């Protein structure tokens, strides 16, 4: 409902679809247009080229791969030319996000790597597909580099090597927690 409310604030009409009736009730109580149902069934029920944009937050990781590809195919058919699709999800390439967020939710089916989701969008026919990373891991919580000071060159080489390794580990463990795959209907 947060995204629906934001769209409403900006004068954009939108409808939300959710399998969770409780979430739909919260939206409807807030005066938002929301319907309980299956996203794929909903998309299949509307005319081709009738949707001006599609946004799904924290959804794709809950879908079986076959369902996800069918959903993308249906979205491509139902979106108007030039309409955007935005799929935001947990970034499993960030070890922290994977181990602290992804595996805690028993309803997650499988993580979707950013490159995989980008490929699926392109293979479906979406154009101008890019990945935008969100929610950077705080620098203050990352592994910290060793300061070399005014030591001799042997110590500086050791410190430089250690710091290069710290940066590699930080990139692997502590990158962006979420990402959005964004494409445009041709």
């Amino acid at each position: 409902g947060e995204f629906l409310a934001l769209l409403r604030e900006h004068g954009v009409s939108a409808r939300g679809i959710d399998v969770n009736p409780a979430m739909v009730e919260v939206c409807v109580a807030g005066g938002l247009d929301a319907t309980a149902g299956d996203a794929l069934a909903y998309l299949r029920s509307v005319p081709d080229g009738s949707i001006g944009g599609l946004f799904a937050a924290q959804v794709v990781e809950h879908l079986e791969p076959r369902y996800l590809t069918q959903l993308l195919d249906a979205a491509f058919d139902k979106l108007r030319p030039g309409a955007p699709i935005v799929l935001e999800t947990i970034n499993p390439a960030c070890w922290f996000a994977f181990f602290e967020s992804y595996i805690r939710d028993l309803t997650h089916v499988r993580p979707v790597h950013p490159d995989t989701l980008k490929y699926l969008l392109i293979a479906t026919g979406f154009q101008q597909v890019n990945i935008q990373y969100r929610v950077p891991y705080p620098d203050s919580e990352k592994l910290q580099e060793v300061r070399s000071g005014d030591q001799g060159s042997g110590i500086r080489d050791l410190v430089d090597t250690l710091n290069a390794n710290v940066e590699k580990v930080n990139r692997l463990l502590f990158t962006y927690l979420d990402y959005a795959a964004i494409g445009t209907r041709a």
Side-chain angles (χ1 to χ4, degrees), residues 15 41-52 74-81 185:
R15 166 175 287 153
Y42 174 79
L43 286 174
R44 288 179 172 162
S45 75
V46 300
D48 286 357
S50 64
I51 298 176
F76 187 83
D77 292 340
K78 304 309 176 171
L79 286 166
R80 289 192 284 263
R185 166 68 164 88

Side-chain angles (χ1 to χ4, degrees), residues 26-117:
V26 169
C27 291
V28 171
L32 301 169
D33 184 0
T35 304
D38 176 76
L40 182 56
Y42 174 79
L43 286 174
R44 288 179 172 162
S45 75
V46 300
D48 286 357
S50 64
I51 298 176
L54 190 148
F55 173 74
Q58 302 293 321
V59 173
V60 298
E61 69 274 17
H62 294 272
L63 307 177
E64 292 288 346
R66 183 167 183 249
Y67 183 95
L68 175 58
T69 57
Q70 290 174 346
L71 185 72
L72 294 177
D73 287 338
F76 187 83
D77 292 340
K78 304 309 176 171
L79 286 166
R80 289 192 284 263
I85 183 170
V86 178
L87 306 171
E88 186 264 350
T89 185
I90 293 171
N91 181 10
C94 173
W95 285 20
F96 181 83
F98 180 78
F99 288 109
E100 290 298 317
S101 296
Y102 181 82
I103 63 173
R104 288 182 186 226
D105 186 340
L106 295 175
T107 66
H108 287 159
V109 172
R110 78 180 56 220
V112 183
H113 192 279
D115 294 340
T116 303
L117 193 53

